Amino acid sequence: MMIEDAALRLFAEQGYEATTVEQIAAEVEISTTTFFRYFPSKADVILCHQDANMPQLRAAIIAYPPGESDLTAVEHAIKQVWVPNADPLHSQRAGQAVAASVSLRGLYNEMSRNWLEGIAAALAERRGLREPDETAIITARVALGVFNEAVRAWGSKGYKAGVGTEVDRAFARLRQLSAEWAN
Amino acid sequence: MMIEDAALRLFAEQGYEATTVEQIAAEVEISTTTFFRYFPSKADVILCHQDANMPQLRAAIIAYPPGESDLTAVEHAIKQVWVPNADPLHSQRAGQAVAASVSLRGLYNEMSRNWLEGIAAALAERRGLREPDETAIITARVALGVFNEAVRAWGSKGYKAGVGTEVDRAFARLRQLSAEWAN
DNA sequence: CAATATATTTGCGGTGCCTCCCATTTTATG
DNA sequence: CATAAAATGGGAGGCACCGCAAATATATTG
């Protein structure tokens, strides 16, 4: 979409907060009214992208063989669905913008919350539950936390190489720590 | 503070979004300008509270005997510092408001991020590191996730009884799951 | 007590995000 | 070509928030 491209470019050039909706609209020669018809908010230009992966992610979790642990199911789903779809350039721009803007972080975390609920629900479904129990929720929270750390680490290395490596490392570290935590 | 009381009351009565700063200011007979002198933003009326616990939390983590695991140190610090200071009424009002408002959730998560960094830094310091390594960050993420789940569970039970019980349960569940995850 | 220095508070204008409504243009359809 | 449907634009307005300069209260002196 043209609006998205122009917006991301302006954000990269002059920062997210410093870019007004009016500027973005002018760049694509539309009115601000039309802008808000396509994106519910300025922040959504950056973030609405991510939600697209949720259905596949859910499906991958549900379809994962029930013999394995919940955590493994989530890890596998992320590697199968999210990792291949991750675009370094877009991730970098979005990552920078999110890091620099409070309100963007707000929306980003809002999205994470949706993921949390989606993952927890998928885990529940995988085990034949109506709604997520404590185990599902905690697993989802931990998995998401580890995943976020992997993305952060990826970013701190300049978004080079694949995210897959970072995801692998983060989950491996979690499993290693788990041995310490288990009672 | 009077402003805070009036604001929380209005939020509870008519919702967070539906309450304007002007109303709050009028209630305490000050101007909106003065309101923003005391609180950097409308959302901060609800959230600025929590940050007060951070220094003690950090101290408790650092002081915890190094023989125990990082996770235990965080768990103990939360139970020692946060749990006794938790006010059910305030938690309930704040919880409701946060659940109902996107922008409040934004600020709330922003706060969580500060906690994450604070806890990770404290864990690093406890082990004599300059800055947090992957282990510290992942532990902090997991611990915060579990803690948030405990607070959520507390809320879903009407903020009755102590949070302590919920915190205990959530961490116990994590340790149980850890046995499954360990490789 | 009076005069002066110092905070604190206030009003006001302005910006930016975002919403609602209605008129107008464009596009698709028969 | 006419008619319906969809996309667009403009304008008014609300709210959070900022910056500034005036006004008010408070404290400190002579």
Side-chain angles (χ1 to χ4, degrees), chain B residues 58-97:
Chain B
R58 287 196 48 151
I61 290 174
I62 295 168
Y64 202 68
E68 300 289 330
S69 76
D70 281 355
L71 186 76
T72 309
V74 180
E75 180 186 2
H76 185 263
I78 288 174
K79 282 195 223 168
Q80 191 187 337
V81 174
W82 194 89
V83 170
N85 285 357
D87 171 16
L89 184 62
H90 188 281
S91 293
Q92 180 166 26
R93 282 186 171 167
Q96 276 176 245

Side-chain angles (χ1 to χ4, degrees), chain A residues 81-134:
Chain A
V81 174
W82 194 89
V83 169
N85 286 357
D87 171 17
L89 184 62
H90 187 280
S91 292
Q92 180 166 25
R93 283 188 170 166
Q96 275 177 248
V98 169
S101 156
V102 178
S103 58
L104 260 186
R105 270 199 296 277
L107 262 262
Y108 178 80
N109 287 316
E110 189 64 12
M111 213 183 54
S112 289
R113 224 181 60 106
N114 289 340
W115 280 47
L116 182 68
E117 284 168 15
I119 291 174
L123 286 175
E125 194 172 336
R126 190 173 92 106
R127 289 209 315 271
L129 299 174
R130 275 274 160 63
E131 48 182 49
D133 58 359
E134 197 189 38

Side-chain angles (χ1 to χ4, degrees), chain A residues 15-151:
Chain A
Y16 173 78
E17 313 279 9
T19 306
T20 71
V21 172
E22 206 168 345
Q23 279 176 9
I24 303 172
E27 199 81 6
V28 210
E29 287 176 337
I30 58 170
S31 68
T32 64
T33 309
T34 307
F35 174 91
F36 283 111
R37 226 174 228 109
Y38 284 92
F39 297 93
S41 85
K42 179 180 161 188
D44 279 283
V45 176
I46 292 193
L47 297 175
C48 67
H49 239 314
Q50 300 293 331
D51 279 329
N53 288 323
M54 263 309 293
Q56 297 171 60
L57 204 76
R58 288 196 47 152
I61 291 174
I62 295 168
Y64 202 69
E68 300 291 328
S69 76
D70 281 355
L71 186 77
T72 309
V74 180
E75 180 186 1
H76 184 264
I78 289 175
K79 283 195 227 170
Q80 190 187 337
V81 174
W82 194 89
V83 169
N85 286 357
D87 171 17
L89 184 62
H90 187 280
S91 292
Q92 180 166 25
R93 283 188 170 166
Q96 275 177 248
V98 169
S101 156
V102 178
S103 58
L104 260 186
R105 270 199 296 277
L107 262 262
Y108 178 80
N109 287 316
E110 189 64 12
M111 213 183 54
S112 289
R113 224 181 60 106
N114 289 340
W115 280 47
L116 182 68
E117 284 168 15
I119 291 174
L123 286 175
E125 194 172 336
R126 190 173 92 106
R127 289 209 315 271
L129 299 174
R130 275 274 160 63
E131 48 182 49
D133 58 359
E134 197 189 38
T135 298
I137 299 178
I138 288 188
T139 304
R141 280 203 132 108
V142 169
L144 253 183
V146 171
F147 169 63
N148 278 328
E149 161 56 14
V151 174

Side-chain angles (χ1 to χ4, degrees), chain B residues 3 13 39 56 61 78 96 137 149 161 167 169 181:
Chain B
I3 302 178
E13 278 172 26
F39 297 92
Q56 296 171 62
I61 290 174
I78 288 174
Q96 276 176 245
I137 299 178
E149 160 59 13
V167 174
R169 178 184 3 259
W181 298 340

